[in-house]
C-alpha cells in the first residue's frame, strides 16, 4: 500500500526544488553578509556602467554647446558636479539595493526553513516505515 502522505510531501519537495527553490538553494551556500556584498558589488558595477553611458549620452546631446563653450567653461566645477551626482545617486541606489537583497535573503531563508521541515517530515515517515518493517517499494508488495 502506498503512503499518500509521503507521496504528497515528496511532490511538494520536488515542486519546490524545480521552481522557486532553485534560487533559494543556490543562495543557501552564502552567509547573509556575503550574499548582500556580492550583489551590492554587482549592482555598483552595473550602476557605474549605466552612469557612464548616461554621461556619454548627455555629452553627445550637448556636443555643440560643449564645443562652442569649451574655453569659457569651468571644467573642474563640471567634473565635481558629475562626481557629486554620481556619488549621491550611487548612495541612494545602494541603500535601495541593500534593502532589496536583505529582504530577498530573509524571504528565501524562510522558504528554506519550510523546505527543511518538509524534508524532516519525509525522513520521519521513512523512519516509521523502517521500524514497522514495511516497505512501499514495488507497489506495496511485501516479501515474507
Amino acid at each position: 500500500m502506498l503512503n499518500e502522505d509521503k507521496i504528497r510531501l515528496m511532490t511538494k519537495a520536488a515542486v519546490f526544488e524545480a521552481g522557486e527553490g532553485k534560487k533559494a538553494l543556490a543562495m543557501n551556500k552564502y552567509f547573509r553578509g556575503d550574499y548582500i556584498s556580492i550583489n551590492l558589488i554587482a549592482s555598483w558595477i552595473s550602476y557605474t556602467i549605466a552612469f557612464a553611458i548616461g554621461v556619454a549620452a548627455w555629452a553627445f546631446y550637448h556636443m555643440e554647446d560643449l564645443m562652442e563653450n569649451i574655453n569659457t567653461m569651468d571644467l573642474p566645477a563640471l567634473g565635481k558636479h558629475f562626481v557629486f551626482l554620481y556619488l549621491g545617486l550611487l548612495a541612494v541606489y545602494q541603500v535601495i539595493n541593500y534593502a532589496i537583497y536583505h529582504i530577498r535573503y530573509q524571504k528565501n531563508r524562510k522558504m528554506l526553513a519550510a523546505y527543511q521541515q518538509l524534508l524532516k517530515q519525509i525522513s520521519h515517515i521513512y523512519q516509521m516505515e523502517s521500524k514497522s518493517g514495511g516497505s512501499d517499494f514495488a507497489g506495496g508488495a511485501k516479501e515474507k
Side-chain angles (χ1 to χ4, degrees):
M1 172 183 231
L2 295 176
N3 187 337
E4 291 179 13
D5 288 336
K6 182 173 71 172
I7 293 171
R8 181 180 49 81
L9 293 173
M10 291 178 76
T11 303
K12 275 185 175 180
V15 167
F16 176 78
E17 290 171 1
E20 61 191 16
K22 281 185 181 179
K23 289 182 180 178
L25 291 170
M27 185 185 300
N28 192 36
K29 63 183 176 183
Y30 296 109
F31 292 111
R32 184 187 67 205
D34 294 340
Y35 172 75
I36 292 171
S37 297
I38 288 169
N39 285 298
L40 286 179
I41 291 169
S43 63
W44 170 68
I45 291 169
S46 64
Y47 171 79
T48 301
I49 292 169
F51 188 83
I53 291 171
V55 169
W58 177 86
F60 286 136
Y61 183 76
H62 294 289
M63 185 63 72
E64 186 175 339
D65 293 336
L66 289 173
M67 292 317 238
E68 287 177 359
N69 301 322
I70 192 88
N71 292 331
T72 60
M73 290 175 63
D74 187 13
L75 293 179
L78 183 63
K80 285 181 186 177
H81 174 73
F82 281 122
V83 167
F84 286 131
L85 183 65
Y86 171 79
L87 293 176
L89 292 175
L90 177 63
V92 171
Y93 184 66
Q94 290 294 63
V95 167
I96 292 169
N97 278 326
Y98 179 85
I100 288 170
Y101 290 118
H102 180 75
I103 291 168
R104 197 175 286 174
Y105 187 85
Q106 294 298 82
K107 178 183 158 194
N108 283 328
R109 293 301 293 174
K110 287 179 184 177
M111 286 191 317
L112 285 173
Y115 176 68
Q116 289 293 330
Q117 186 63 31
L118 189 68
L119 293 179
K120 284 181 184 178
Q121 290 174 353
I122 293 170
S123 175
H124 180 71
I125 290 173
Y126 274 115
Q127 288 175 356
M128 296 303 288
E129 286 178 352
S130 68
K131 285 182 182 177
S132 68
S135 174
D136 286 346
F137 185 69
K142 295 182 184 177
E143 291 184 27
K144 292 188 178 187

